[in-house]
Amino acid sequence: MTDQSVSRPRRRGPRAALASAAVVALAAGTALLFASAASAATTLGASAAERGRYFGAAIAANKLSESTYVNIVNREFNSVTPENEMKIDATEPQQNQFTFGNADRIVNHAISQGMAVRGHTLAWHSQQPGWMQSMEGSALRQAMLNHVTQVATYYRGKIDSWDVVNEAFDDGNSGARRNSNLQRTGNDWIEAAFRAARAADPGAKLCYNDYNIDNWSWAKTQAAYNLVRDFKQRGVPIDCVGLQSHFNSGSPYPSNYRTTLSSFAALGVDVQITELDIEGASANTYRSVVADCLAVARCNGITVWGVRDCDSWRSSQNPLLFDCSGNKKPAYDAVLAELNSGAPPPTTAPPTTAPPTTAPPPTTAPPPTTAPPPTTAPPTTAPPTTPPPGGGGCSAAVYQLDQWPGGFVANVRVTAGSSATNAWAVTMTLPSGAAVTNAWNSQASGSTGTVRFTNAPWNGRINAGQSTTFGFQGTGTGSGMTPSCSAS
Ligand code: XIL
């Protein structure tokens, strides 16, 4: 597939837009009729969206032609992660020869359905193509940075969150870095990858992603925590941490999981559960994971690693929410019920103060028995029937993604201030001669001069400190625009 085929973000499908509007209207009506019932959303994505979050799945391009599979994907999820299609061996099989065909299939499908895309993954010791596996030193460092730059640039504007670096820490009790060819290029390789990713796609959230960083008392968790803390203190660009959360008998769901989520969040990053699967798919364990995420304001999304049990990389463990025939399992019902019982997003801002300077607990200490910090405590009062007004304002930043003689494409990231928004508007004065021809994930009023973009029905709600993006295409040039944002 050529670059041209994905170089313009597509408008969100009208069917999906109507469905979202209907869900919002239905949910609002339901809340008014049954003040004590938080929600009656009937799909995972719709329920998560009501709480300012996403619920996603890892999907495979070669299954998009299976109707049972694709029906579940389209119905249930509002985010997807390519399970293998964006990995280094898939996107750069020969050095400097990039292939995006299968990844594009997933990205284009997601965009047509109005779903977010998690990019997975730019730099990793595993699933490297042969040419990279045999590289070392500065040549490898350059090749890795080139890969990050090329792939993140190609998908600029289409990725909600990138797993920039995956699985850089060792298992076991050392807390050391994994000994990989990438690590041997120098301890600063992770930082270099994040800086390159930010430069290539300034609108995407940049995540560090790993497994076995779920248990707060494990050395590997502390090592990842210290990396994020160090990056935040030194201003290295990082926006999120991904906890893969593959739970099984060797690495079970830990009772201190909520402490881990809230501790990462307190560093000032989003927390995402990126590859959730649970051996045996205990409904109670799934329910606990969802409850823990909902209790932490900056836990902004959950992705299950596959759709049906037979799609799973660990299919013998039956770890997912749908059986091999596509039927909902008890774990599905538990997840949906837990999502629906969740309170609306907290309206207070996540902590913006400097991260704690005290050392984290020793890695051998038993899990903390105290309640999680107040910023993450689940609300105990019944959710209000209407969302509280968002008085904390918002900010907006515009990124020109593409330009050509006579036209341009721009993305705008809207970030809520100290309280959640229920609705927002961004105004921007276009350069003379420029005109908006098309907008997605927002509604434009006016096309020349000062244009006002208001939220679409499904993205007015933004949690405090979190963000959403919309885009538009125009004629003329789009340089030098200064957006201003207002929220209610
Ligand atoms: C797995 C895929 O699910 C398999 O299809 C593939 O054969 C191997 O990789 N951590 C990750 C994922 O970050 O990319 C892995 O996905 C699972 C573990």
Side-chain angles (χ1 to χ4, degrees):
M1 195 170 283
T2 64
D3 182 69
Q4 197 61 26
S5 66
V6 293
S7 63
R8 307 279 180 280
R10 290 188 190 164
R11 183 187 272 276
R12 194 171 185 277
R15 187 195 61 73
L18 284 173
S20 294
V23 166
V24 170
L26 176 67
T30 306
L32 289 173
L33 283 172
F34 307 108
S36 60
S39 165
T42 56
T43 68
L44 304 175
S47 187
E50 286 176 10
R51 284 152 191 86
R53 293 172 166 85
Y54 65 81
F55 202 102
I59 64 171
N62 63 8
K63 292 180 182 160
L64 286 175
S65 50
E66 276 183 50
S67 61
T68 306
Y69 183 82
V70 88
N71 287 344
I72 297 172
V73 170
N74 292 352
R75 187 185 72 217
E76 294 292 342
F77 302 106
N78 58 355
S79 169
V80 293
T81 307
E83 186 174 359
N84 288 296
E85 293 78 353
M86 282 187 183
K87 292 173 180 175
I88 315 172
D89 58 351
T91 51
E92 196 178 354
Q94 305 296 328
Q95 189 169 13
N96 252 319
Q97 292 177 17
F98 292 87
T99 55
F100 295 114
N102 285 329
D104 283 348
R105 259 167 227 128
I106 291 178
V107 171
N108 291 340
H109 183 85
I111 290 173
S112 76
Q113 293 290 320
M115 298 166 172
V117 180
R118 295 196 80 264
H120 176 78
T121 174
L122 294 171
W124 192 21
H125 69 277
S126 184
Q127 292 183 259
Q128 291 183 355
W131 64 265
M132 187 179 270
Q133 287 177 35
S134 56
M135 276 182 125
E136 293 282 345
S138 60
L140 175 62
R141 173 70 73 103
Q142 279 313 310
M144 179 273 287
L145 292 175
N146 181 53
H147 181 86
V148 170
T149 300
Q150 299 294 328
V151 176
T153 299
Y154 181 81
Y155 283 114
R156 184 168 52 180
K158 296 179 178 169
I159 304 296
D160 178 80
S161 304
W162 263 115
D163 290 333
V164 178
V165 169
N166 197 29
E167 302 181 350
F169 287 98
D170 226 347
D171 290 306
N173 296 323
S174 70
R177 294 281 183 83
R178 178 189 296 276
N179 179 10
S180 69
N181 60 349
L182 293 169
Q183 178 62 29
R184 289 190 296 272
T185 70
N187 208 46
D188 62 343
W189 74 276
I190 301 178
E191 171 175 348
F194 274 80
R195 291 190 193 281
R198 179 68 100 222
D201 185 354
K205 294 181 187 175
L206 305 182
C207 305
Y208 175 75
N209 192 54
D210 213 330
Y211 65 92
N212 284 356
I213 59 168
D214 315 288
N215 190 322
W216 182 238
S217 66
W218 285 15
K220 191 171 170 180
T221 310
Q222 293 303 320
Y225 176 86
N226 287 334
L227 174 92
V228 178
R229 187 170 61 164
D230 173 55
F231 277 20
K232 292 299 287 183
Q233 278 172 344
R234 291 192 298 113
V236 178
I238 185 167
D239 308 299
C240 37
V241 173
L243 282 74
Q244 292 184 10
S245 302
H246 296 290
F247 294 129
N248 51 61
S249 49
S251 179
Y253 163 76
S255 58
N256 58 23
Y257 191 57
R258 191 177 298 190
T259 300
T260 306
L261 300 179
S262 61
S263 299
F264 274 116
L267 292 176
V269 290
D270 286 350
V271 180
Q272 303 180 0
I273 298 169
T274 53
E275 304 185 15
L276 180 64
D277 51 19
I278 302 174
E279 180 174 17
S282 152
N284 275 340
T285 309
Y286 264 107
R287 190 196 309 276
S288 299
V289 170
V290 172
D292 290 341
C293 181
L294 291 178
V296 176
R298 291 201 72 166
C299 180
N300 70 328
I302 299 176
T303 299
V304 285
W305 202 242
V307 179
R308 302 160 300 189
D309 282 335
C310 294
D311 303 315
S312 169
W313 70 313
R314 292 177 166 171
S315 58
S316 65
Q317 296 183 0
N318 295 322
L320 294 174
L321 302 179
F322 295 88
D323 69 19
C324 292
S325 307
N327 300 311
K328 296 170 182 173
K329 295 165 60 179
Y332 172 95
D333 297 329
V335 167
L336 181 60
E338 193 61 38
L339 285 170
N340 277 341
S341 72
T347 54
T348 51
T352 52
T353 49
T357 49
T358 51
T363 55
T364 50
T369 51
T370 50
T375 52
T376 60
T380 50
T381 51
T385 53
T386 52
C394 58
S395 60
V398 63
Y399 305 97
Q400 185 157 314
L401 302 184
D402 204 358
Q403 57 186 326
W404 57 93
F408 68 95
V409 170
N411 245 24
V412 181
R413 181 169 283 279
V414 182
T415 304
S418 58
S419 53
T421 67
N422 296 314
W424 47 260
V426 172
T427 50
M428 236 178 307
T429 301
L430 269 57
S432 96
V436 173
T437 53
N438 180 26
W440 48 95
N441 294 336
S442 74
Q443 283 139 359
S445 58
S447 60
T448 58
T450 300
V451 179
R452 181 180 163 89
F453 298 88
T454 47
N455 61 273
W458 59 89
N459 63 6
R461 182 87 192 173
I462 313 173
N463 286 357
Q466 301 208 358
S467 57
T468 190
T469 53
F470 71 89
F472 63 98
Q473 184 170 342
T475 53
T477 65
S479 55
M481 295 178 291
T482 308
S484 71
C485 192
S486 62
S488 58

